[in-house]
Amino acid sequence: MKLCRVGPSGQEIPAIVDNAGKLRDLSSHLSDIEPSALNKKSLEKISALDLESLPLIEGSPRYGVPVSGTRQFVAIGLNYADHAAESNLPIPAEPVVFNKWVSCIQGPNDPVTIPRNSTKTDWEVELGVVIGEQASYVSKENALDHVAGYCVINDVSERHWQTERGDTWDKGKGFPTFGPIGPWLVTADEVGDPQNLTMWLDVNGKRLQNGSTNTMIFNVAEIVSYLSGLMTLLPGDIITTGTPPGVGLGQKPEPWYLKAGDVVTLGIERLGEQRQEFVAWK
């Protein structure tokens, strides 16, 4: 299933994409796509609905974040060996963990604001993992049982604050609008193997990232298991799992970064596409 939330910011309604690719209104069956709707029993009820009987959503509505009420937005860094190399950093022996503040989360096509005085705002296409069942100390073998589905994320980053203002990456990762998510939450059963998805990102129409989740250092099951030993993962939590090479930081002969007016488009196989215009802080 492809689940989403559509409508003006703060007024989104739950929706589902039918077999013809049309949006159907779920609000008569579901108040919102919130943490309590992501467990297996709830998803099975949605899956059993006759989609043709649901009201069509006409036009081209705005996509909001596909899940509401996320309490933890956790990120994994340097999870592709070739991205670690372009960053001039060693391949990590364990997952590199940092946080993106939940206040940075926004719809997939909403404008992204470049922070005040920023000169190093960067892009990163990433596979997002949405937790459906609470997870604490789960094994790698059982980890994917706790995953509701997957989504596209642009892990927008400010490299000056990330790497030059102390040792805490979080400072460069959670500026307002730095977490575009969506357009859909695609349930795990529809995605299948999360380690075999192509991914790409363009800046102003130029292809800069072109990779696959099959080159992750730590796969999704390993990441979920590892994180569940550090924290209790809660339904609705989102994990963003690292990016392939081609970010601004790694451009040759020298890095280059986003400026107001730039347009970033990105996507992941089976999970949809995003488009953001980058705008100046006002």
Side-chain angles (χ1 to χ4, degrees), residues 164-175:
E164 301 171 42
R165 300 295 292 264
D167 295 331
T168 305
W169 281 19
D170 308 45
K171 290 187 288 188
K173 294 286 190 171
F175 285 99

Side-chain angles (χ1 to χ4, degrees), residues 38 65-67 70-77 79-80 95-100 102 105 124-136 138 143-144 146-155 179-182 184-185 194-195 199 213 216 218-243 268 271:
L38 299 177
V65 183
V67 178
T70 294
R71 288 164 284 188
Q72 299 180 111
F73 188 10
V74 188
I76 305 299
N79 197 31
Y80 290 71
V96 175
V97 180
F98 59 91
N99 287 296
K100 289 180 75 75
V102 293
I105 292 174
E124 295 189 11
V125 59
E126 303 201 3
L127 173 68
V129 179
V130 182
I131 298 298
E133 308 272 355
Q134 183 169 308
S136 184
V138 299
L144 296 186
H146 298 262
V147 174
Y150 304 92
C151 56
V152 181
I153 294 177
N154 188 354
D155 176 19
I181 299 175
W184 314 305
L185 161 64
Q195 305 306 147
M199 53 206 307
T213 58
M216 282 185 181
F218 305 102
N219 64 31
V220 172
E222 291 170 326
I223 289 168
V224 172
S225 176
Y226 184 87
L227 290 177
S228 76
L230 304 178
M231 65 190 78
T232 299
L233 292 170
L234 304 170
D237 287 354
I238 298 173
I239 305 165
T240 190
T241 57
T243 197
I268 299 178
L271 304 183

